[in-house]
Amino acid sequence: MVGILLVRRQAVPDGVLLGWSLLAGVAGSLALTAFYIALSRGEMGVSAAVSGLLAAAIPALVSMGMEGVPGAKRLIGFGLALAAIWVIAAGPSPENAGGRATLGLAVLAGVGFGVYFVALRMANPLGLVMPMAISRGASLIVCSVMLLIFRVLGRDQGAMRMTGAVAMWAVGAAVLDTGGNMLFMGATRLGRLDVAAVLASLYPAGTILLAAWRLHERPTRRQVMGMVTAVAAVVMITI
């Protein structure tokens, strides 16, 4: 991202737009950390569902305040999408080490993701590359500080070595994540924030389909119902 900016000779902005870009990076990194910790403690389905619902609901409410209430079809579509997120993601977990602390982390993650989406939308007058480069830089700093703190406290639990395979998966995840977020920003430049946020929050359906393809995991009946509901929601939102 920085290399693209250097080639284009773009100057680093200041003021409110810089602040929104930095906020996106800080909120995104804190949310992702809370989300991963919640998943590692068990109750994975509930954690994913709660965070996904908040990540969709917060930008939708902000968008309605900024851009007005959408039409009836889209409101029905939003309701179907929120239901689909819960039905797809929530479910029995292989572990049960959660509790209030895990639920709190899931809520924190969802709020952070919601703020992240809103902040990216507010920073989009800078284009696509500049806000993403700034937010990624802020995320790198925040995550480095947290890693240092966890190491000092002896809670990093990072016994796994950085093998070539692990590095390739990490790089692949970073490229896809950054590309997905840039597509989200492009969607908010062309249309409403609530539409982009709600549709982007349906990603658990894609995760399940990829797991079925690559890991040969069979979706449950509940998940299939959720994906059918998600398709109906997409139709209602986009028509």
Side-chain angles (χ1 to χ4, degrees):
M1 304 301 293
V2 173
I4 294 173
L5 293 176
L6 292 175
V7 170
R8 297 170 64 175
R9 298 183 180 180
Q10 287 187 254
V12 177
D14 55 12
V16 176
L17 295 179
L18 174 62
W20 282 116
S21 302
L22 291 172
L23 176 61
V26 173
S29 57
L30 293 176
L32 198 61
T33 301
F35 182 61
Y36 282 156
I37 294 176
L39 292 182
S40 69
R41 290 187 174 188
E43 298 296 339
M44 292 179 287
V46 174
S47 298
V50 169
S51 61
L53 285 174
L54 290 174
I58 292 175
L61 292 174
V62 172
S63 178
M64 291 179 190
M66 295 172 51
E67 304 167 300
V69 179
K73 288 183 179 179
R74 280 186 174 172
L75 287 176
I76 295 173
F78 291 162
L80 288 174
L82 295 177
I85 293 170
W86 181 265
V87 172
I88 292 172
S93 300
E95 300 175 5
N96 190 20
R100 292 184 178 180
T102 302
L103 181 61
L105 286 169
V107 171
L108 176 61
V111 172
F113 288 139
V115 172
Y116 176 73
F117 283 149
V118 173
L120 284 183
R121 161 62 178 83
M122 301 304 292
N124 71 17
L126 293 175
L128 298 180
V129 180
M130 180 64 75
M132 190 56 57
I134 296 173
S135 67
R136 285 297 185 244
S139 296
L140 180 61
I141 294 173
V142 172
C143 288
S144 297
V145 171
M146 286 192 292
L147 179 61
L148 179 61
I149 293 174
F150 289 154
R151 289 250 172 146
V152 171
L153 296 177
R155 297 180 180 178
D156 60 330
Q157 298 179 350
M160 183 167 56
R161 295 181 179 179
M162 182 60 72
T163 63
V166 172
M168 288 299 296
W169 280 111
V171 171
V175 172
L176 291 173
D177 181 57
T178 301
N181 283 292
M182 291 183 70
L183 290 173
F184 170 81
M185 291 183 63
T188 62
R189 290 171 66 87
L190 296 174
R192 292 175 58 101
L193 169 62
D194 50 9
V195 173
V198 172
L199 292 178
S201 297
L202 291 172
Y203 68 87
T207 302
I208 291 172
L209 292 175
L210 286 172
W213 174 46
R214 294 294 300 171
L215 304 178
H216 307 291
E217 295 181 2
R218 295 186 62 181
T220 64
R221 290 184 179 180
R222 175 173 177 161
Q223 290 173 331
V224 172
M225 290 177 56
M227 287 186 281
V228 172
T229 305
V231 172
V234 172
V235 173
M236 295 296 293
I237 292 172
T238 55
I239 61 175

